[in-house]
Amino acid sequence: MSVAGAAASAVTAPSTLVRQERKSRRGLLLLILGALSAIGPLSIDMYLPALPAITSEMMSAPAQVQLTLTACLIGVSVGQVVAGPVSDVRGRRVPLMIGVAGFMAASLLCAFAPSVPALIAFRLMQGMLGGTALVIVRAIVRDLYDGAAIARIFATLMLVSGLAPILAPIAGAQLLAFTSWRGVFVALSLMGLVLLIGVLAGVRETLPVERREAGGLKHTLRTFWQLLRDRRFMGFALTGGLAFAAMFGYISGSPFVLQEIYGATPAQYSLIFGGNALALVAASQVGGRLSGRVPPVLLVGIGLSASLTGAVVQLTAALAGFGLPGIVAGLLIIMLGQGLTMPGTGALALGSQPAQVAGSASALMGVLQFALGAAAAPLVGLAGSATAVPMACVMLGLFVLAGLAFTILGRAKADKVR
């Protein structure tokens, strides 16, 4: 080998090792971020099988125990509003560590709650601190990636967060086989400990000091006001929020519709729910693969069209009496569309903003999702309980509104964030 060849090999080998190390580090970061994005579904859903046991042990009314779920949802929303702007000013890593450590402590407090009111208070804390992780994960993605790459990363994260709502109740039920409901919260606390170790080991600061926002409450409010007035951002954020609300309508209405109206057994319902979630995850992965070759705005348009089609199929099946197969077919088409819509709208909304306000933008997106979802869930039962038409109408209406927000507000200048 010549001297020149040896020198070239000596240069190439270290550069290859550096690339491999960076790729490995990036893979670890995505794994940690995906696990953090599952905090919300885990804290909300994992203890659901234990609600009857909590009601019995605490000798409380079911309605009061259900407030523990409401408190967690409120906490997730409030936590995002607070943590997003704070991370724009203080950086991502320290607020994230505080949020995950606080989630671990709040989960342990839930395990030792002496009464339902105390459990409600601790669940509010748990939701707020879990919301911190959710909002900062999205901000970190915006710090590190631009354009179509954001959609690819969101699709990867959805692989974890999309499966979490399916696996969380199953895991909770399995834990209840050999422990009490308090053990479920101990398990959540241990998960928080594992996540904290992951953050300490694998998440570096992604927002340098020179790129951080400066200012106090007045500046934060001004940032939110600017975001609310940003037509592109609000168009994409509303599109995603309305689509997310349709998911809440499905989650709150489908157990009753599929089991009580159409006679599906619990086992059949689990299969249907699981199949729809897998369709959502699969579509998101396809969308992630296509990002960079297909503009995110086009993927969102295709996703919304599919969801609208599925909602029409579902409503037609409910009105024409096609039975369970027609309803399930409509839901499956909707979930395939959602797999393209949800990551794409998040990428477009955050991609339209500079990285230094990514925390505030992510917070506003999260609040829109949970606020619209909380408003949509009870609408499913307002028009009676003898038919699937209310659920179908609510979901169709939300997808129509999402399409209008996307077309009128976001789509007009979407070429800037392709």
Side-chain angles (χ1 to χ4, degrees), residues 34 55 66 128 227 340 409:
T55 303
Q66 286 171 346
M128 289 178 62
L227 289 169
L340 297 178
L409 296 176

Side-chain angles (χ1 to χ4, degrees), residues 77-144:
S77 297
V78 173
Q80 292 184 84
V81 171
V82 173
V86 168
S87 74
D88 288 338
V89 176
R90 301 294 183 184
R92 315 296 187 204
R93 193 168 187 265
V94 172
L96 180 60
M97 288 190 296
I98 292 172
V100 176
F103 173 84
M104 177 182 68
S107 298
L108 199 59
L109 288 173
C110 289
F112 293 98
S115 64
V116 173
L119 183 59
I120 291 171
F122 295 150
R123 286 284 286 168
L124 180 67
M125 291 171 52
Q126 186 189 40
M128 289 178 62
L129 293 157
T132 298
L134 292 178
V135 72
I136 294 179
V137 163
R138 291 193 295 263
I140 288 174
V141 172
R142 178 61 188 92
D143 291 340
L144 298 176

Side-chain angles (χ1 to χ4, degrees), residues 270-340:
S270 298
L271 287 174
I272 293 169
F273 191 85
N276 285 334
L278 289 175
L280 173 74
V281 171
S284 71
Q285 298 313 295
V286 171
R289 296 282 185 179
L290 293 175
S291 295
R293 289 173 286 179
V294 179
V297 69
L298 179 57
L299 291 175
V300 172
I302 294 171
L304 284 173
S305 298
S307 294
L308 277 168
T309 301
V312 171
V313 169
Q314 182 182 215
L315 180 59
T316 302
L319 291 172
F322 291 159
L324 184 61
I327 298 294
V328 171
L331 289 172
L332 181 63
I333 298 170
I334 288 171
M335 292 303 111
L336 290 170
Q338 291 282 71
L340 297 178

Side-chain angles (χ1 to χ4, degrees), residues 69 93 142 167 224 227 244 252 280-281 328 348 353 359 382 398:
L69 177 59
R93 193 168 187 265
R142 178 61 188 92
L167 300 178
F224 276 128
L227 289 169
F244 189 83
S252 64
L280 173 74
V281 171
V328 171
L348 289 167
Q353 302 300 314
L382 287 181
L398 288 167

